PDB file of all heavy atoms in Angstrom:
ATOM      1  N   SER A  59      14.050  27.468  52.185  1.00  0.00           N
ATOM      2  CA  SER A  59      13.406  27.315  50.882  1.00  0.00           C
ATOM      3  C   SER A  59      13.103  25.842  50.632  1.00  0.00           C
ATOM      4  O   SER A  59      13.617  24.970  51.347  1.00  0.00           O
ATOM      5  CB  SER A  59      14.317  27.834  49.758  1.00  0.00           C
ATOM      6  OG  SER A  59      15.473  27.010  49.654  1.00  0.00           O
ATOM      7  N   GLY A  60      12.302  25.584  49.613  1.00  0.00           N
ATOM      8  CA  GLY A  60      12.068  24.206  49.194  1.00  0.00           C
ATOM      9  C   GLY A  60      13.350  23.600  48.647  1.00  0.00           C
ATOM     10  O   GLY A  60      13.629  22.421  48.839  1.00  0.00           O
ATOM     11  N   THR A  61      14.135  24.427  47.971  1.00  0.00           N
ATOM     12  CA  THR A  61      15.427  23.978  47.445  1.00  0.00           C
ATOM     13  C   THR A  61      16.319  23.484  48.582  1.00  0.00           C
ATOM     14  O   THR A  61      16.937  22.424  48.480  1.00  0.00           O
ATOM     15  CB  THR A  61      16.119  25.142  46.694  1.00  0.00           C
ATOM     16  OG1 THR A  61      15.255  25.555  45.635  1.00  0.00           O
ATOM     17  CG2 THR A  61      17.464  24.735  46.139  1.00  0.00           C
ATOM     18  N   PHE A  86      11.136  21.450  38.397  1.00  0.00           N
ATOM     19  CA  PHE A  86      11.985  22.603  38.646  1.00  0.00           C
ATOM     20  C   PHE A  86      13.447  22.151  38.800  1.00  0.00           C
ATOM     21  O   PHE A  86      13.709  21.028  39.226  1.00  0.00           O
ATOM     22  CB  PHE A  86      11.506  23.314  39.919  1.00  0.00           C
ATOM     23  CG  PHE A  86      12.155  24.643  40.145  1.00  0.00           C
ATOM     24  CD1 PHE A  86      12.000  25.653  39.218  1.00  0.00           C
ATOM     25  CD2 PHE A  86      12.932  24.873  41.266  1.00  0.00           C
ATOM     26  CE1 PHE A  86      12.614  26.886  39.407  1.00  0.00           C
ATOM     27  CE2 PHE A  86      13.539  26.104  41.459  1.00  0.00           C
ATOM     28  CZ  PHE A  86      13.385  27.111  40.537  1.00  0.00           C
ATOM     29  N   VAL A 131       7.865  13.835  41.865  1.00  0.00           N
ATOM     30  CA  VAL A 131       7.424  15.229  42.043  1.00  0.00           C
ATOM     31  C   VAL A 131       5.911  15.235  41.852  1.00  0.00           C
ATOM     32  O   VAL A 131       5.413  14.793  40.816  1.00  0.00           O
ATOM     33  CB  VAL A 131       8.080  16.155  40.989  1.00  0.00           C
ATOM     34  CG1 VAL A 131       7.559  17.590  41.136  1.00  0.00           C
ATOM     35  CG2 VAL A 131       9.592  16.118  41.098  1.00  0.00           C
ATOM     36  N   ASP A 157       9.269  15.170  46.224  1.00  0.00           N
ATOM     37  CA  ASP A 157       9.293  16.617  46.009  1.00  0.00           C
ATOM     38  C   ASP A 157       7.830  17.059  46.067  1.00  0.00           C
ATOM     39  O   ASP A 157       7.099  16.993  45.084  1.00  0.00           O
ATOM     40  CB  ASP A 157       9.936  16.990  44.683  1.00  0.00           C
ATOM     41  CG  ASP A 157      10.011  18.506  44.485  1.00  0.00           C
ATOM     42  OD1 ASP A 157       9.234  19.231  45.148  1.00  0.00           O
ATOM     43  OD2 ASP A 157      10.816  18.979  43.659  1.00  0.00           O
ATOM     44  N   ALA A 159       6.861  20.053  46.852  1.00  0.00           N
ATOM     45  CA  ALA A 159       6.928  21.525  46.887  1.00  0.00           C
ATOM     46  C   ALA A 159       5.565  22.159  46.606  1.00  0.00           C
ATOM     47  O   ALA A 159       5.217  23.170  47.200  1.00  0.00           O
ATOM     48  CB  ALA A 159       7.957  22.023  45.874  1.00  0.00           C
ATOM     49  N   GLN A 160       4.784  21.541  45.716  1.00  0.00           N
ATOM     50  CA  GLN A 160       3.491  22.121  45.318  1.00  0.00           C
ATOM     51  C   GLN A 160       2.324  21.409  45.995  1.00  0.00           C
ATOM     52  O   GLN A 160       1.169  21.692  45.682  1.00  0.00           O
ATOM     53  CB  GLN A 160       3.324  21.988  43.790  1.00  0.00           C
ATOM     54  CG  GLN A 160       4.469  22.610  43.007  1.00  0.00           C
ATOM     55  CD  GLN A 160       4.387  22.307  41.515  1.00  0.00           C
ATOM     56  OE1 GLN A 160       3.394  21.786  41.023  1.00  0.00           O
ATOM     57  NE2 GLN A 160       5.448  22.650  40.790  1.00  0.00           N
ATOM     58  N   SER A 205       7.635  23.524  49.684  1.00  0.00           N
ATOM     59  CA  SER A 205       8.086  24.904  49.456  1.00  0.00           C
ATOM     60  C   SER A 205       7.017  25.887  49.916  1.00  0.00           C
ATOM     61  O   SER A 205       5.825  25.653  49.715  1.00  0.00           O
ATOM     62  CB  SER A 205       8.360  25.135  47.967  1.00  0.00           C
ATOM     63  OG  SER A 205       8.541  26.529  47.716  1.00  0.00           O
ATOM     64  N   LYS A 210       3.524  29.483  45.863  1.00  0.00           N
ATOM     65  CA  LYS A 210       2.855  28.270  46.320  1.00  0.00           C
ATOM     66  C   LYS A 210       1.562  28.628  47.085  1.00  0.00           C
ATOM     67  O   LYS A 210       1.284  29.797  47.315  1.00  0.00           O
ATOM     68  CB  LYS A 210       3.810  27.453  47.207  1.00  0.00           C
ATOM     69  CG  LYS A 210       5.155  27.133  46.546  1.00  0.00           C
ATOM     70  CD  LYS A 210       5.018  26.351  45.243  1.00  0.00           C
ATOM     71  CE  LYS A 210       6.257  25.595  44.843  1.00  0.00           C
ATOM     72  NZ  LYS A 210       7.265  26.376  44.100  1.00  0.00           N
ATOM     73  N   GLY A 218      10.644  30.028  51.669  1.00  0.00           N
ATOM     74  CA  GLY A 218      10.588  29.132  52.826  1.00  0.00           C
ATOM     75  C   GLY A 218      10.356  27.710  52.372  1.00  0.00           C
ATOM     76  O   GLY A 218       9.990  27.462  51.222  1.00  0.00           O
ATOM     77  N   TYR A 360       7.800  24.415  32.942  1.00  0.00           N
ATOM     78  CA  TYR A 360       9.172  23.924  32.843  1.00  0.00           C
ATOM     79  C   TYR A 360       9.628  23.647  31.415  1.00  0.00           C
ATOM     80  O   TYR A 360       8.847  23.237  30.571  1.00  0.00           O
ATOM     81  CB  TYR A 360       9.314  22.625  33.643  1.00  0.00           C
ATOM     82  CG  TYR A 360       8.908  22.745  35.083  1.00  0.00           C
ATOM     83  CD1 TYR A 360       8.018  21.849  35.654  1.00  0.00           C
ATOM     84  CD2 TYR A 360       9.415  23.761  35.884  1.00  0.00           C
ATOM     85  CE1 TYR A 360       7.645  21.949  36.994  1.00  0.00           C
ATOM     86  CE2 TYR A 360       9.045  23.870  37.215  1.00  0.00           C
ATOM     87  CZ  TYR A 360       8.160  22.968  37.760  1.00  0.00           C
ATOM     88  OH  TYR A 360       7.795  23.076  39.069  1.00  0.00           O
TER      89      TYR A 360
HETATM   90  C1  PLP B  21       8.846  25.592  43.948  1.00  0.00           C
HETATM   91  C2  PLP B  21       9.467  24.277  43.686  1.00  0.00           C
HETATM   92  C3  PLP B  21      10.738  23.940  44.162  1.00  0.00           C
HETATM   93  C4  PLP B  21      11.646  24.918  44.828  1.00  0.00           C
HETATM   94  O1  PLP B  21      11.148  25.532  45.961  1.00  0.00           O
HETATM   95  P1  PLP B  21      11.788  26.924  46.430  1.00  0.00           P
HETATM   96  O2  PLP B  21      11.105  27.164  47.740  1.00  0.00           O
HETATM   97  O3  PLP B  21      11.466  27.951  45.400  1.00  0.00           O
HETATM   98  O4  PLP B  21      13.253  26.715  46.592  1.00  0.00           O
HETATM   99  C5  PLP B  21      11.217  22.660  43.942  1.00  0.00           C
HETATM  100  N1  PLP B  21      10.487  21.739  43.279  1.00  0.00           N
HETATM  101  C6  PLP B  21       9.273  22.037  42.775  1.00  0.00           C
HETATM  102  C7  PLP B  21       8.509  20.989  42.046  1.00  0.00           C
HETATM  103  C8  PLP B  21       8.726  23.320  42.947  1.00  0.00           C
HETATM  104  O5  PLP B  21       7.528  23.601  42.430  1.00  0.00           O
END
Side-chain angles (χ1 to χ4, degrees):
S59 66
T61 301
F86 190 61
V131 177
D157 182 339
Q160 304 172 10
S205 169
K210 306 301 201 276
Y360 304 129

